Amino acid sequence: MDLVVVESPSKAKTIGKFLGKKYDVVASYGHIRDLPKSSFGVDIEKDFKPKYVISKEKKPIVDELKKLVNKSKTVYIATDEDREGEAIGWHITQATKVDPKKIKRIAFHEITKNAILESLKSPREINMDMVNSQEARRILDRIVGYKLSPLLAKKIQRGLSAGRVQSVALKLIVDREEEINNFNPQEYWTIHLLFEGDIEATLEKINGKQLEKLEINSKNEADKIIKEIKKERFTVALIKKTKSKRKPEPPFITSTMQMSASNLLGFSAQKTMRVAQTLYEGVDIEKDRVGLITYMRTDSFNIAKEAIQKARKTLKELLGDEYLPEKPNTYKTKSKLAQEAHEAIRPTNPSLLPDMVKPYLKDDEFKLYNLIWRRFMASQMKPAEFKNTAAIFKSDKFEAKANFKELVFDGFLRIWTFSNTQDKQAPKLKKNQSIELLDVKGKQHFTEPPPRYTEASLIKELEKHGIGRPSTYATIISTLIKREYVILKDKKFYPQEIGIVTSMMLNKFFSDIINVKFTAQMEEGLDKVANKKLDKTELLRKFYNKFKKLLDNAYENMEKIKPEDEPTEEKCPACGAPLVIRHGRYGKFLACSNYPKCRYTKPLEEEYTDIKCNKCGAPMVVKYSRKGTRFLACSNYPECKNTKPYPTGLKCPLCGGELVERSSKKGKFYGCSNYPDCKFTIRGKLKNQLCPTCGYTLFVKKKDKWCCANSKCNYCEKNEGA
């Protein structure tokens, strides 16, 4: 029996169905070794030698892998074909101490039967240059994170963190906010002429001179020009007709998929990658397990010839020859750091139309597959064609222009239905004809500051500067939000005070390394390590020597920042002293100014509920215990000190009562509200669902699937998530 090791159980399930009983296909559940959480784990004096450890939760997985490795004839490492996947594979071989002669590395860009079988025919060795590059990145991030975070905790506030790439992304957001705050809007006006035939033209010239954007800068000036225009007679001075084409965009790479999913579907980068992972690893379609898209962490526009042929065949069957270019469209990868061995993101089988697989997909899975399928198919189609008409209307003194754009051939837009193409047909006009002016209006405008970053535009900016890799964008964004350096409001990033202060201090003392240019250079260095053009230790030593000097200087000279208390008009209900707004580890809160004699605190903003207090009738508000467990308290405190457990909406499977949040020395758990009559308790992530096997009404999340919470029942849902 041969062994195939992958990262996730969903991927293992798909590949296992392709390979049959001759192979054991198992999952490592991602990395099985990493640097320790409780110590630095890097010996700088010994050429940055890392100390890898196996965590408690991973130990059973490693023990099982060791047993399987020992009884297998050949061990195929089938992790993802990128640096992270290469490193995961190498760590598996090291942790299981497998005989190197038994190891074979296989790689593929799509999880289809043909791709898997072909990969088994041409195995290779583990690429240690890629492993070294991943290890160098991990050590760099450990150095920055482990050394900077204590500095921030000492000088600014506990619980803060810094990261080599994360801090640059934060700087971009903070710098943009500063630009916005410093921006001075300027007023300007545009003049619009309405002619017969519902033609609207924009004033462009006065006495033959082209108007500048900000030239008309007041209502008085606009009204004066409008008054003069109304006295004029206009003729059609010029009609210019041209043709234009709009080419399709290339198929998705990681960054453009995340951008489009954000703009068109409202997905976060993290959600996009999670859903894409499921589509890549496989879903059940009728009796088959199918990987629907190719590998989703890529920065290459390459497409396999076979895939292009299948796409063209499908397009011909759907739309006919008129939509197909004579030769397949090809796209040049812009990023000089792209891994050209990879493909762009595409459907594994172009003939699987979105509507065909819709019944087998969850709503979000369908939305993303539909987006990926349409983008890829559109990339292999003819351009859309337009007929453009520019009409110039002149009087003795004024000249106005109207533009019309008419779609004459939809081309790739037939498939790419997400585009807002306004089709504006040109009216029938003749040169030198007189045309009646019906009305003139002025429109007030103000120059606008640069927009705040959205997830899509931040990813675009990071990619433009060569910061991070396809696999890191989602993690960078989620970390900034998790640390509360920024918040997402109306899909835009707003830096918080603690984020601004942190970025300001890092910029003051570490501007030589926490900047766009240096971070991009480090990415190039990591690529050189992967391509055997630079020694890993040399890269690390050069960085650390520079970083250590900056760090020592910061410890010596960075002033300690203690945010000042903000006064309020509210009085402390415990002692009558004024309440002030203080800054804590988890943000702002209200506290008594008489501290430490009075230790009264409360959240800055009470979270009111619709639940009424059963003692006095006042609304109940959400509170948090010291252990982080939610509970309800009367808003009429301290007159009424009634509290209740926080309702979860989950029903007890034993008595039908409501499950409520509780806490113990072991952490949060759920218990029945009918305690002590019902003593049901449970931990974990829960949902109410009827078990088809035993009739229990509660499910609990176990690793990657939902299972019946009845300890005597082994039923689990079939549709697993990665």
Side-chain angles (χ1 to χ4, degrees), residues 180-196:
I180 293 168
N181 291 335
N182 293 335
F183 184 81
N184 292 315
Q186 290 181 265
E187 180 184 7
Y188 69 98
W189 288 71
T190 53
I191 310 297
H192 302 267
L193 291 71
L194 184 64
F195 294 103
E196 61 177 305

Side-chain angles (χ1 to χ4, degrees), residues 228-288:
E228 290 183 36
I229 289 174
K230 286 181 177 180
K231 299 175 184 177
E232 300 283 313
R233 292 181 179 275
F234 286 84
T235 59
V236 180
L238 179 68
I239 300 171
K240 187 177 180 182
K241 294 186 177 182
T242 58
K243 291 181 179 180
S244 64
K245 292 183 179 182
R246 180 180 163 190
K247 294 181 180 180
E249 295 289 329
F252 283 137
I253 55 176
T254 305
S255 58
T256 54
M257 177 181 70
Q258 290 175 348
M259 287 181 234
S260 291
S262 174
N263 292 330
L264 301 173
L265 306 180
F267 286 9
S268 67
Q270 204 167 29
K271 180 177 180 178
T272 300
M273 297 308 288
R274 186 172 65 247
V275 176
Q277 186 84 30
T278 301
L279 295 175
Y280 167 67
E281 293 186 345
V283 296
D284 290 316
I285 296 181
E286 294 182 350
K287 295 180 180 180
D288 295 325

Side-chain angles (χ1 to χ4, degrees), residues 646-701:
Y646 186 84
T648 62
L650 297 165
K651 298 298 179 183
C652 174
L654 298 186
C655 71
E658 187 164 33
L659 295 183
V660 295
E661 289 187 13
R662 300 192 188 278
S663 61
S664 68
K665 290 181 179 179
K666 294 182 179 180
K668 188 175 75 172
F669 69 96
Y670 297 91
C672 183
S673 58
N674 290 331
Y675 179 86
D677 294 329
C678 178
K679 297 183 179 180
F680 176 81
T681 62
I682 191 170
R683 297 179 188 273
K685 192 173 181 180
L686 309 173
K687 70 175 179 178
N688 280 125
Q689 183 171 316
L690 182 66
C691 177
T693 304
C694 71
Y696 221 60
T697 57
L698 191 67
F699 272 52
V700 62
K701 192 77 176 286

Side-chain angles (χ1 to χ4, degrees), residues 28 84 125 127 214 229 287 298 300 376 523 630 688:
S28 69
E84 205 70 26
E125 294 181 353
N127 186 328
L214 305 178
I229 289 174
K287 295 180 180 180
T298 177
S300 171
F376 172 64
E523 294 295 345
R630 291 176 294 182
N688 280 125

Side-chain angles (χ1 to χ4, degrees), residues 523-539:
E523 294 295 345
E524 290 184 26
L526 290 167
D527 280 331
K528 287 179 180 178
V529 173
N531 295 323
K532 216 171 185 174
K533 294 179 180 178
L534 180 64
D535 180 67
K536 174 187 70 176
T537 306
E538 182 185 340
L539 174 76

